[in-house]
Amino acid sequence: MDNSTERSKKKKVVSVVGGGLVGALNACFFAKRGFDVHVFETREDIRQANTVKGRSINLALSHRGRQSLKHVGMEEKIVSQGIAMHARMIHSLNGVQSPIPYGKKGQYILSVDRANLNKELLTEAEKYANTKLNFEHKLQDWSAKTGLMTFTKSDGSKEQIEADLIVGCDGAFSAVRKQFLRQSRFNYSQTYIPHGYMELTMPPVNGEFAMKANYLHIWPRNTFMMIALPNLDKTFTCTLFMPFEEFEKITTGNEVIGFFQEYFPDAIPLIGVDSLKRDYFRLPAQAMVSIKCSPYHIGDKCVLMGDAAHAVVPFYGQGMNAGFEDCIVFDEVMEQFNEDFGAVLPEYTRVRVPDDHAIADLAMYNYVEMRAHVNSKWFLFRKSVDNILHFLMPKKIIPLYTMVTFTRTRYHEAVARWHWQDKVINRGLLLGGTGAILGGSYLLIKYPPEINKLCIAIEKVWNHITPFSSS
Ligand code: FAD
Ligand code: EGU
């Protein structure tokens, strides 16, 4: 029997709630399968709007996100509109900049413009004849019993709509998820971290990027941290992360400059004193939340994807990438279970929850780690050790960020493998240390005068692997 004709005869209706990054991409995935796709988005059509509000201007796109875009034929286009970042650039307090590559030559991440990516995805979704985009439609409520959704339109009027499947892609504060909270045996947790973030723009200098363009710039200062990603218009968007209580301490322009002089002095002339003062007070610091839940579905009627299912803190650059990967995983399960929603939805929850929870945990772990003891020296040291071990044993030891960023290794497997590698490394250090002590003692007894030379040699090696300025 020909599956595709049987499928097209059914032509089930799929309602995607949320036309953000994941919703717009998901619309393409469902449209490609031949469903009747309706997207409902609260905002007006951002392609016509001139005010682009919302959070984070640019994002790091990596392998998982790219694979997902490739699935709907969008990879090339989006990549061509992004800026490659082949390495991080670590800024020390004294202004020294040190690059650390992400990997081999072809391994880089991309800085992409959120608004542009969203527009491209909406335009792509609209190319399918079986897709309809509905803007200024805010999901007010829906019934888990009947599947009936109620939308509020911009003029205040209400509209009721039914669908065979509701796909909740409406972000971290999902209205679709609200009904899940009323179900028995639904697990939910949310954690706001003490840090907030604020975006500052670094303009071009003489028509050129103010800093090296093809890098993700990082100023690691323990509890204070700044990250900058390049934009196509030759600006950088700097994101400042710090505890809300620290944001609140700074109330005047001079205090802003004083704070930057203490922690990010090299950025002051690049952002500019006046625009730094202006940008800082333009918007209040934004909160960051981590949300985990399970299951991701209700019966054969509704499923959550993207931030609606799992909001993660941005300290692994994976929120959008994970949401995009959700779309591929769902598509794979659809193929496996012949688009039978009753079977697909529970299987999607079964395979995807452990991975989304793993990346949520990893991002939170990295936040805690960076906040606790990551200054520029430590960052350089740790990443160098990772890279050296990977270079020496490319098959056995793969850095965690490499598995997360450059492969589609399931997140939970990457974590398991990371724990295993840590054991191997510790055992190696233990064996190596024991060997060095035993061997060293032997040499000391046999050739006492040679010890001086040995010390010099060790010092040389040490200076070679940690050639960093103080911070
Ligand atoms: P959203 O982008 O939030 O979209 C949800 C959409 O649903 C919106 O358009 C909204 O208007 C709409 N909506 C909401 N409620 C309703 C309703 N009731 N009815 C109809 N529509 C509704 N990720 C990365 O991969 N790389 C990064 O480098 C990165 N950096 C980040 C930096 C910061 C500071 C932050 C905060 C996040 C970062 N992320 C990053 C995460 C990324 O922004 C999110 O994971 C991603 O935007 C999630 O997409 P989404 O479509 O699920 O949700
Ligand atoms: C945070 C905010 C460096 C964009 C995690 C690395 C991020 C991004 C890192 C933001 C860091 C931190 C990784 C990438 C990326 C690093 C990563 C973080 C993009 C472990 C716009 N993080 N981010 N790790 O390795 O894997 O370079 O706002 F500072 S991209 Cl916090 Cl790869």
Side-chain angles (χ1 to χ4, degrees):
M1 163 109 92
D2 183 354
N3 274 332
S4 57
T5 47
E6 206 213 1
R7 279 173 194 169
S8 56
K9 257 192 294 179
K10 292 186 281 184
K11 244 200 163 204
K12 287 193 172 167
V13 178
V14 174
S15 279
V16 176
V17 181
L21 299 178
V22 174
L25 178 62
N26 232 340
C28 298
F29 270 84
F30 284 106
K32 199 177 164 201
R33 287 197 162 272
F35 290 101
D36 222 335
V37 183
H38 296 264
V39 179
F40 299 97
E41 165 59 47
T42 305
R43 295 171 301 176
E44 58 187 325
D45 189 341
I46 51 167
R47 295 166 299 176
Q48 267 120 59
N50 35 27
T51 48
V52 202
K53 52 177 173 129
R55 58 215 162 84
S56 84
I57 293 147
N58 50 24
L59 305 145
L61 172 69
S62 50
H63 182 72
R64 295 171 202 265
R66 283 182 64 162
Q67 285 297 110
S68 198
L69 290 169
K70 188 177 181 170
H71 203 99
V72 295
M74 291 287 285
E75 187 189 21
E76 243 178 271
K77 182 159 205 179
I78 300 306
V79 168
S80 74
Q81 297 168 1
I83 299 175
M85 299 183 289
H86 299 273
R88 313 104 169 147
M89 187 66 89
I90 310 303
H91 293 241
S92 323
L93 199 49
N94 60 14
V96 170
Q97 298 185 27
S98 321
I100 309 183
Y102 275 114
K104 294 179 210 70
K105 206 159 185 311
Q107 289 185 316
Y108 57 86
I109 56 177
L110 286 151
S111 174
V112 298
D113 181 291
R114 175 194 292 273
N116 179 65
L117 176 58
N118 206 157
K119 288 175 191 172
E120 291 287 0
L121 289 170
L122 289 170
T123 297
E124 182 65 22
E126 226 167 23
K127 282 186 187 156
Y128 296 86
N130 44 331
T131 300
K132 171 96 182 14
L133 306 181
N134 306 275
F135 296 99
E136 299 174 65
H137 276 66
K138 181 182 178 147
L139 180 75
Q140 207 61 50
D141 203 0
W142 68 282
S143 161
K145 245 202 196 105
T146 63
L148 194 69
M149 297 174 284
T150 308
F151 290 92
T152 310
K153 299 198 270 187
S154 50
D155 60 7
S157 65
K158 291 203 163 34
E159 193 176 343
Q160 295 212 309
I161 291 160
E162 254 181 320
D164 294 306
L165 179 67
I166 299 168
V167 185
C169 302
D170 51 348
F173 307 101
S174 170
V176 175
R177 199 180 55 218
K178 271 195 194 118
Q179 287 306 317
F180 282 65
L181 289 161
R182 307 179 50 166
Q183 305 289 310
S184 171
R185 299 182 60 206
F186 178 67
N187 299 296
Y188 180 83
S189 77
Q190 71 174 44
T191 307
Y192 278 92
I193 58 174
H195 276 59
Y197 73 92
M198 181 177 279
E199 294 183 308
L200 308 162
T201 303
M202 185 181 283
V205 175
N206 300 325
E208 266 313 313
F209 281 104
M211 305 181 296
K212 283 208 166 162
N214 298 99
Y215 295 86
L216 188 151
H217 291 261
I218 308 174
W219 292 256
R221 305 281 185 268
N222 298 348
T223 196
F224 306 112
M225 185 168 99
M226 195 160 72
I227 287 194
L229 274 69
N231 297 304
L232 278 182
D233 64 1
K234 305 205 169 171
T235 63
F236 276 95
T237 304
C238 305
T239 311
L240 171 64
F241 295 94
M242 67 173 174
F244 275 100
E245 55 178 65
E246 298 289 338
F247 274 114
E248 282 153 17
K249 281 185 197 161
I250 299 169
T251 55
T252 67
N254 287 340
E255 282 167 355
V256 176
I257 303 303
F259 168 77
F260 266 74
Q261 254 154 7
E262 194 170 347
Y263 294 101
F264 313 108
D266 62 334
I268 299 176
L270 300 178
I271 299 174
V273 171
D274 291 334
S275 43
L276 183 52
K277 289 181 183 175
R278 194 168 358 98
D279 273 13
Y280 188 94
F281 296 105
R282 218 165 46 87
L283 284 170
Q286 304 287 304
M288 287 169 280
V289 67
S290 182
I291 296 173
K292 289 199 276 185
C293 69
S294 83
Y296 288 164
H297 71 285
I298 296 179
D300 60 356
K301 260 201 193 72
C302 181
V303 64
L304 302 173
M305 293 195 214
D307 277 17
H310 47 82
V312 307
V313 291
F315 299 95
Y316 237 101
Q318 284 294 312
M320 165 191 64
N321 286 289
F324 280 8
E325 195 178 47
D326 287 349
C327 303
I328 311 188
V329 171
F330 191 84
D331 196 72
E332 286 165 355
V333 178
M334 287 279 273
E335 196 57 42
Q336 206 182 328
F337 289 85
N338 205 20
E339 300 180 350
D340 169 10
F341 296 150
V344 169
L345 268 50
E347 177 65 5
Y348 172 72
T349 286
R350 192 186 70 78
V351 300
R352 197 53 181 164
V353 165
D355 292 320
D356 286 333
H357 286 198
I359 191 60
D361 292 343
L362 271 182
M364 185 62 85
Y365 172 88
N366 205 42
Y367 161 67
V368 172
E369 166 115 342
M370 300 227 19
R371 175 186 72 176
H373 55 238
V374 178
N375 54 25
S376 55
K377 215 171 177 176
W378 179 252
F379 194 97
L380 286 161
F381 176 70
R382 276 315 310 262
K383 297 291 170 193
S384 306
V385 169
D386 277 3
N387 286 348
I388 289 167
L389 288 174
H390 182 48
F391 179 79
L392 294 174
M393 297 169 279
K395 286 266 154 61
K396 204 173 180 92
I397 305 228
I398 301 168
L400 179 58
Y401 82 84
T402 302
M403 291 188 274
V404 167
T405 307
F406 297 118
T407 76
R408 275 201 60 210
T409 308
R410 293 183 60 181
Y411 288 124
H412 89 272
E413 282 172 8
V415 171
R417 180 150 182 174
W418 174 51
H419 289 312
W420 176 84
Q421 287 179 174
D422 247 22
K423 264 193 208 148
V424 172
I425 292 169
N426 286 337
R427 199 163 299 160
L429 286 175
L430 197 69
L431 281 174
T434 313
I437 289 168
L438 289 177
S441 313
Y442 171 78
L443 288 175
L444 248 165
I445 293 162
K446 198 156 185 200
Y447 310 104
E450 299 289 319
I451 192 72
N452 271 337
K453 275 190 202 161
L454 191 67
C455 287
I456 292 164
I458 288 172
E459 198 179 334
K460 268 192 188 154
V461 171
W462 178 252
N463 286 336
H464 184 74
I465 59 173
T466 57
F468 317 125
S469 48
S470 63
S471 60

